[in-house]
Amino acid sequence: GAGVSQTPSNKVTEKGKYVELRCDPISGHTALYWYRQSLGQGPEFLIYFQGTGAADDSGLPNDRFFAVRPEGSVSTLKIQRTERGDSAVYLCASGPLRAADTQYFGPGTRLTVL
Amino acid sequence: AQSVSQHNHHVILSEAASLELGCNYSYGGTVNLFWYVQYPGQHLQLLLKYFSGDPLVKGIKGFEAEFIKSKFSFNLRKPSVQWSDTAEYFCAVRGYGGSQGNLIFGKGTKLSVKP
C-alpha cells in the first residue's frame, strides 16, 4: 500500500516568512508524529497526534511552530516568522493505532531558510 | 531525560566483513528499542525492533540486535556486510512514563561498505 507522503519535498523561503508543510499518513493510521532532523543529527521529536488532538507537543521549540490535524488524517506543520536555524528536514511518521506501535516514516520536507 | 548514544560516527568496511554498531540508552524503566536505516536518497525504514521476550532480535536483510538490559545496550550486528548495506543507521528508544510514544534517536552511524 501507499506509504507516508510529504509535500513539498523541498521548500526554500526567506527569513521571516511563513511556511506550511503537509503530511499524508498511511490510510487508517491514527497516530501521527512530526520530527525535525538537522544536519549530522538524528530526528528530534516535535509533536504527536492521536486522532485529531495533539497528545504531546512538548517537542515544539517555541510558539512559532504549530501543527494541526483537523480530520484525523492529513496534518500540517506551520512555522511562522521563519529563522535560519529552522533549516532542517522535517519528517512525518504514522502508526497504526496506539502510541506503542511501530512508526512508518515519510521522505521528509527539506526546509531551507535563507 | 532519555538519551541515546551511538558510539561510531562513520564506519568503513570491506564487503564480507562483520559489522557491529554500538547503541546505549539512558532510561531506567521499560523501553522499546529500534534500529532504523536510511539508504542514500531514501526515507527512514525500520530494520528491527525489540518490545519484549527474546533479547536477540532478528530483522530484515540479515541484521540482528541484542538487548542487554544490564548494559543499557542494543547493538546492531551483521556477520557479513554487502555493498548494498551502505547507509546511515539510527538507534532509537521509546520509554514509558511521561512521553506518549515519541522516539528518541541517536545521532546515527554512517556505514560505508567498499566493494
Side-chain angles (χ1 to χ4, degrees), chain A residues 35 45 48 55 99-100 102-103, chain B residues 36 43 49 94 100-103:
Chain A
Y35 293 83
F45 168 73
Y48 157 55
T102 298
Q103 297 175 26
Chain B
Y36 279 85
H43 59 275
K49 62 185 179 184
R94 178 173 57 216
Q100 295 196 45
N102 59 286
L103 299 175

Side-chain angles (χ1 to χ4, degrees), chain B residues 5-115:
Chain B
S5 175
Q6 292 185 241
H7 313 303
N8 309 101
H9 177 62
H10 191 186
V11 173
I12 302 172
L13 296 173
S14 298
E15 277 194 314
S18 64
L19 170 72
E20 181 160 2
L21 301 182
C23 172
N24 286 89
Y25 65 93
S26 66
Y27 186 75
T30 302
V31 292
N32 297 153
L33 295 158
F34 304 81
W35 276 96
Y36 279 85
V37 60
Q38 188 166 26
Y39 298 103
Q42 297 187 27
H43 59 275
L44 279 166
Q45 301 172 39
L46 182 67
L47 201 54
L48 49 78
K49 62 185 179 184
Y50 171 79
F51 278 21
S52 63
D54 188 345
L56 184 61
V57 180
K58 294 193 183 299
I60 60 171
K61 303 186 180 185
F63 286 91
E64 65 178 31
E66 185 175 12
F67 170 50
I68 303 179
K69 188 174 181 180
S70 61
K71 294 184 178 181
F72 298 92
S73 71
F74 190 56
N75 291 356
L76 181 71
R77 300 194 293 247
K78 186 170 184 178
S80 175
V81 296
Q82 301 174 309
W83 176 78
S84 59
D85 293 324
T86 294
E88 190 154 20
Y89 293 80
F90 293 92
C91 181
V93 63
R94 178 173 57 216
Y96 291 92
S99 69
Q100 295 196 45
N102 59 286
L103 299 175
I104 307 297
F105 283 87
K107 292 187 176 183
T109 297
K110 184 177 178 182
L111 172 65
S112 299
V113 180
K114 299 183 292 184

